[in-house]
């Protein structure tokens, strides 16, 4: 099985589905991660160019901890993610063509900031574009309508899961992967007074309460024709 997580900023997948990605890996799946934005505006001191480089290295270290075979960087600047940009659409579509996933996990189409919302649209539309024979491409078309799951919003605001994954055995790995994003956790603690690792753990515990386990992550399927599947696609 091949799994592709498409997130916006370099730490978004770790926050919302890092435990699930690790669980996929532990169950033998090939896991790939892709972030569309480079996170270059995520600091008040470090300049955008150096910060983008730092965050790319952090994402690679985190991806390795979660078991990802590759971590892709589309390298769009923060607040510039645009689902109508054909170059970005084709770049993500080529990631899909290269990976040829059985399932995609991405942002919910309603979230707290523009970049997340645009990334959700890019992920679903690029998966469609990946099968178009005459669309500009580096890899051969992937003729498959790929099932997509939307991951939780930040802090679970206005998101009601229909599916849960028990990540009780993966919670510490999820948090350690998140801690690889040191530039963000340190900045948010110093600038905003937020212990972000604790916040993410608390949200995972809350989702666990909802489904009767210690820690969980919540998802909703992209319910449009023909994205349904007879297969069980989330890890047990």
């Amino acid at each position: 099985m091949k799994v592709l997580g498409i997130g916006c900023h370099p730490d978004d997948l770790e926050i919302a589905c890092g435990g699930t990605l690790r669980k996929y890996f532990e169950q033998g799946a090939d896991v790939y991660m892709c972030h569309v934005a480079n996170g270059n505006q995520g600091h008040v001191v470090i300049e955008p160019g150096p910060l983008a480089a730092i965050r790319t290295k952090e994402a690679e270290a985190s991806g390795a901890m979660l078991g990802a075979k590759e971590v892709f960087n589309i390298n769009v600047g923060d607040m510039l993610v645009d689902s109508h940009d054909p170059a970005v659409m084709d770049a993500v579509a080529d990631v899909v063509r290269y990976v040829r996933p059985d399932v995609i996990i991405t942002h919910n189409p309603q979230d707290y900031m523009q970049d997340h919302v645009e990334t959700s649209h890019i992920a679903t539309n690029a998966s469609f574009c990946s099968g178009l024979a005459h669309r500009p491409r580096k890899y051969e078309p992937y003729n498959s309508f790929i099932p997509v799951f939307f991951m939780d919003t930040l802090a679970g605001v206005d998101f009601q899961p229909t599916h849960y994954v028990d990540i009780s055995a993966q919670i510490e790995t999820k948090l350690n992967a998140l801690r690889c994003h040191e530039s963000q956790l340190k900045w948010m603690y110093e600038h905003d007074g937020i212990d972000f690792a604790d916040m993410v753990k608390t949200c995972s515990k809350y989702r666990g309460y909802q489904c009767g386990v210690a820690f969980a992550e919540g998802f909703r399927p992209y319910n449009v024709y023909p994205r349904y599947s007879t297969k069980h696609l989330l890890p047990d």
Side-chain angles (χ1 to χ4, degrees):
M1 186 175 188
K2 293 183 179 181
V3 180
L4 174 60
I6 301 176
C8 184
H9 306 100
D11 55 0
D12 286 331
L13 292 173
E14 289 84 342
I15 292 166
C17 68
T20 298
L21 294 180
R22 177 66 192 186
K23 192 165 190 175
Y24 271 124
F25 167 74
E26 291 175 2
Q27 294 184 359
D30 291 336
V31 174
Y32 298 83
M33 299 169 68
C34 174
H35 50 91
V36 176
N38 57 23
N40 66 347
Q41 298 293 328
H43 211 279
V44 295
V45 177
I46 305 173
E47 292 294 323
L51 182 60
I54 290 169
R55 298 201 67 185
T56 295
K57 290 182 179 179
E58 291 173 341
E60 290 170 351
S62 177
M65 190 169 290
L66 294 177
K69 292 177 73 72
E70 293 185 56
V71 178
F72 303 95
N73 177 9
I74 305 302
N75 202 29
V76 178
D78 286 1
M79 299 308 297
L80 297 175
V81 179
D82 182 0
S83 59
H84 297 286
D85 185 331
V88 173
M89 187 67 65
D90 288 331
V92 177
D94 257 328
V95 171
V96 176
R97 294 182 189 109
Y98 173 79
V99 173
R100 309 182 93 73
D102 297 289
V103 62
I104 290 172
I105 296 175
T106 192
H107 290 282
N108 189 57
Q110 290 82 42
D111 207 341
Y112 83 107
M113 67 169 302
Q114 170 185 308
D115 281 353
H116 287 202
V117 173
E118 292 296 299
T119 296
S120 179
H121 295 319
I122 289 168
T124 54
N125 290 337
S127 68
F128 184 93
C129 288
S130 70
L132 301 180
H134 301 294
R135 186 85 178 187
R137 65 187 191 275
K138 289 170 59 179
Y139 304 101
E140 287 302 304
Y142 182 37
N143 297 315
S144 176
F145 287 101
I146 309 154
V148 175
F149 282 90
F150 298 128
M151 59 191 183
D152 220 334
T153 57
L154 190 62
V157 174
D158 200 26
F159 185 88
Q160 181 55 56
T162 58
H163 295 65
Y164 294 86
V165 174
D166 181 356
I167 61 161
S168 302
Q170 292 77 32
I171 185 63
E172 291 305 323
T173 304
K174 170 188 172 83
L175 295 175
N176 286 333
L178 181 62
R179 292 186 184 104
C180 289
H181 297 275
E182 183 181 0
S183 68
Q184 297 307 287
L185 270 67
K186 187 172 185 290
W187 168 61
M188 282 187 284
Y189 187 77
E190 293 175 351
H191 187 256
D192 300 313
I194 299 173
D195 184 339
F196 204 67
D198 179 70
M199 173 186 165
V200 169
K201 184 175 183 178
T202 300
C203 292
S204 297
K205 189 171 186 178
Y206 172 66
R207 292 304 187 201
Y209 277 130
Q210 291 181 324
C211 61
V213 300
F215 296 95
E217 291 171 341
F219 301 90
R220 291 199 325 225
Y222 180 39
N223 285 330
V224 298
Y225 171 85
R227 302 282 181 158
Y228 298 100
S229 174
T230 58
K231 300 176 183 177
H232 182 73
L233 293 167
L234 290 171
D236 294 324

